C-alpha cells in the first residue's frame, strides 16, 4: 500500500531552517504529547499533529493504517511563495535535502517530492532539477496558486520544462484559498475553499495549455480533484460554445482533462466510485493527506469498501504509484 499524498516537517528540518534562515523558522509550541501550535509567517496551525515531526509515530501509524510506504512532501505552510525568493529557496533546499535523506534512510518506506520557490520560476527550475538529480526526489509538490497567480502563468514554463524533461509527478495542493474572507465561518476555508482552489488550479492548467504543451508532466490533484470530476463536462461544453476557453488552448480540453490524475481522498464511497467511473482506475492514486485531521486514517479500508474489483483496487493502492514514480517492487 503506497500513500502518494503525505506531509512531513521533522524537527531536524525545523532546526536547519532556524540555523540558516532564522527569519522563516517555523515555531512549535507544544500543547501536549500529541500536538503543538505551528507558527510560520502569518500562518498559525492549531493543532499541528505530532506525527508531522515524529518519525516513530509516523511508522507506527503507517503500520496501524496498513500503509507500507509514504511519498512525503513538505507541509503547504512552508511553500513561502509570498516571501523573499532567495530565503524561500534556502528553505526549499533544506527540506528537499532532508526529504531525500529520509528516503535513503528508509528505502521501501519513504520516498519524496520536492518543493521549490515558485515565485522565482528560473530559480525554482534549478532547485527542482537539483532535487531530482542530487537528492533523488520523485516529483514536485506545488501550491494551487503562486502568491495569487494561477498555474497558467507563462513564467512558470521554466519549471514545467524541467518537470517535463524528467517526466515528473506534480502534486497540486490547495494553498491560500480564494475568497477566504467569505469563508471565515464553519471551517469553510477548508471544506469548500480547498476543493475550490484545486479546481481553479486544474482549470488553469487545462485551459492555459500547460498540460497540452508539457505532455510528460503528470499532474496529481489533491482531495480527489476538488470539483473537477463533477464539472469536467461543463469545461468541455464551455470550450465548444464560448471563445474565452479557446484563447490559449489549441486542442480539445478533453485531451488535457484525460491526463489529470487524482488522489483517493473523498471521505465517502459514493464519490470515490463516481471518480473511478469517470476517470478509470489507472488515474487514481491512494492518498491520505497524513497527518492532518482533514485527511483520513482509514484510507485503505475506504478504498476496499468502495471498489469491488481487485485489479482496480490494486492499481489505486499500489500499482499506479509504482508506475508513475518509478518505485521498485
Amino acid at each position: 500500500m503506497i500513500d502518494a499524498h503525505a506531509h512531513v516537517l521533522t524537527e531536524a528540518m525545523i532546526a536547519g531552517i532556524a540555523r540558516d534562515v532564522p527569519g522563516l523558522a517555523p515555531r512549535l509550541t507544544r500543547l501536549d504529547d500529541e500536538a503543538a501550535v505551528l507558527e510560520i509567517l502569518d500562518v498559525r496551525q492549531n493543532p499541528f499533529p505530532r506525527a508531522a515531526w515524529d518519525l516513530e509515530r509516523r511508522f507506527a501509524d503507517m503500520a496501524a493504517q496498513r500503509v507500507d510506504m509514504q511519498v512525503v512532501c513538505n507541509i503547504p505552510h512552508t511553500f513561502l511563495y509570498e516571501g523573499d525568493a532567495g530565503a524561500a529557496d534556502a528553505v526549499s533546499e533544506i527540506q528537499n535535502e532532508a526529504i531525500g535523506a529520509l528516503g535513503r534512510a528508509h528505502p521501501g518506506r519513504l520516498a519524496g517530492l520536492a518543493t521549490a520557490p515558485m515565485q522565482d520560476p528560473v530559480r525554482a527550475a534549478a532547485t527542482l532539477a537539483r532535487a531530482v538529480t542530487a537528492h533523488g526526489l520523485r516529483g514536485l509538490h506545488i501550491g494551487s496558486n503562486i502568491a495569487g497567480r494561477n498555474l497558467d502563468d507563462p513564467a512558470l514554463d521554466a519549471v514545467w520544462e524541467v518537470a517535463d524533461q524528467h517526466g515528473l509527478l506534480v502534486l497540486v495542493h490547495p494553498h491560500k484559498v480564494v475568497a477566504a474572507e467569505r469563508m471565515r465561518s464553519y471551517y469553510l476555508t477548508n471544506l469548500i475553499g480547498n476543493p475550490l482552489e484545486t479546481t481553479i488550479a486544474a482549470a488553469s492548467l487545462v485551459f492555459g495549455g500547460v498540460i497540452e504543451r508539457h505532455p510528460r508532466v503528470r499532474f496529481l490533484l489533491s482531495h480527489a480533484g476538488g470539483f473537477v470530476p463533477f464539472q469536467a463536462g461543463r469545461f468541455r461544453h464551455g470550450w465548444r460554445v464560448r471563445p474565452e476557453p479557446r484563447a490559449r488552448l489549441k486542442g480539445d480540453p478533453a485531451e488535457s482533462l484525460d491526463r489529470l490524475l487524482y488522489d483517493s481522498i473523498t471521505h465517502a464511497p459514493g464519490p470515490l466510485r463516481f471518480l473511478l467511473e469517470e476517470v478509470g482506475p489507472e488515474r487514481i492514486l491512494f492518498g491520505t493527506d497524513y497527518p492532518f485531521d482533514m485527511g483520513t486514517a482509514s484510507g485503505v479500508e475506504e478504498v476496499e469498501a468502495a471498489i469491488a474489483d481487485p485489479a482496480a483496487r490494486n492499481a489505486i493502492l499500489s500499482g499506479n504509484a509504482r508506475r508513475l514514480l518509478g518505485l521498485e517492487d
Side-chain angles (χ1 to χ4, degrees), residues 132-167:
V132 173
T133 58
H135 302 317
L137 300 187
R138 308 283 179 147
L140 174 65
H141 180 217
I142 185 174
S144 52
N145 69 85
I146 313 302
R149 292 176 292 153
N150 286 333
L151 298 186
D152 60 341
D153 187 330
L156 296 177
D157 277 356
V159 177
W160 306 141
E161 286 165 8
V162 172
D164 192 82
Q165 176 188 350
H166 293 281

Side-chain angles (χ1 to χ4, degrees), residues 299-312:
V300 173
E301 289 77 12
E302 290 168 8
V303 171
E304 291 176 335
I307 298 173
D309 179 60

Side-chain angles (χ1 to χ4, degrees), residues 3-318:
D3 180 358
H5 178 176
H7 301 279
V8 67
L9 179 68
T10 65
E11 289 179 296
M13 293 179 194
I14 294 172
I17 297 169
R19 181 190 64 242
D20 295 346
V21 200
L24 293 177
R27 294 181 298 280
L28 281 181
T29 304
R30 301 294 177 90
L31 295 172
D32 51 38
D33 286 343
E34 299 302 317
V37 176
L38 173 75
E39 296 174 280
I40 179 170
L41 292 181
D42 62 341
V43 174
R44 189 174 189 270
Q45 171 95 24
N46 183 12
F48 186 65
R50 175 175 181 163
W53 72 81
D54 185 332
L55 284 181
E56 291 308 313
R57 174 63 58 84
R58 178 179 298 266
F59 291 142
D61 286 349
M62 288 169 62
Q65 296 170 20
R66 297 169 55 204
V67 172
D68 300 299
M69 185 178 204
Q70 284 184 345
V71 181
V72 296
C73 59
N74 67 305
I75 63 172
H77 316 67
T78 61
F79 283 140
L80 304 174
Y81 297 153
E82 293 75 22
D84 173 77
D89 192 21
V91 174
S92 295
E93 180 64 20
I94 290 166
Q95 294 184 100
N96 291 344
E97 183 176 8
I99 291 172
L102 286 175
R104 291 188 296 276
H106 305 281
R109 300 179 81 181
L110 298 175
L113 303 179
T115 184
M118 299 296 293
Q119 65 267 53
D120 184 341
V122 173
R123 192 191 300 258
T127 299
L128 177 58
R130 184 167 58 252
V132 173
T133 58
H135 302 317
L137 300 187
R138 308 283 179 147
L140 174 65
H141 180 217
I142 185 174
S144 52
N145 69 85
I146 313 302
R149 292 176 292 153
N150 286 333
L151 298 186
D152 60 341
D153 187 330
L156 296 177
D157 277 356
V159 177
W160 306 141
E161 286 165 8
V162 172
D164 192 82
Q165 176 188 350
H166 293 281
L168 297 182
L169 184 79
V170 176
L171 173 61
V172 179
H173 201 286
H175 173 65
K176 301 287 185 181
V177 302
V178 68
E181 68 281 356
R182 294 184 58 204
M183 294 186 285
R184 298 181 195 274
S185 303
Y186 320 121
Y187 204 48
L188 295 185
T189 50
N190 191 300
L191 302 183
I192 293 174
N194 276 9
L196 175 58
E197 266 298 312
T198 301
T199 305
I200 294 171
S204 299
L205 291 169
V206 170
F207 291 114
V210 176
I211 298 172
E212 185 177 60
R213 295 193 306 274
H214 304 286
R216 296 187 69 235
V217 183
R218 286 77 57 86
F219 289 99
L220 171 62
L221 303 180
S222 298
H223 314 131
F227 310 124
V228 173
F230 190 72
Q231 295 295 342
R234 187 175 183 86
F235 290 177
R236 293 190 293 268
H237 176 78
W239 183 84
R240 289 194 296 268
V241 302
R242 296 290 309 184
E244 297 93 339
R246 298 169 177 261
R248 295 176 65 187
L249 182 66
K250 295 180 179 178
D252 193 316
E255 297 175 7
S256 293
L257 287 164
D258 286 348
R259 290 185 11 226
L260 288 170
L261 306 172
Y262 301 82
D263 76 18
S264 61
I265 304 171
T266 62
H267 300 291
L272 185 53
R273 285 193 289 266
F274 171 80
L275 180 64
L276 177 66
E277 182 178 347
E278 286 295 300
V279 309
E282 70 282 354
R283 291 170 53 202
I284 306 173
L285 280 72
F286 171 55
T288 67
D289 209 354
Y290 182 92
F292 294 109
D293 56 8
M294 283 301 293
T296 175
S298 55
V300 173
E301 289 77 12
E302 290 168 8
V303 171
E304 291 176 335
I307 298 173
D309 179 60
R313 282 203 311 264
N314 290 339
I316 292 167
L317 289 170
S318 179

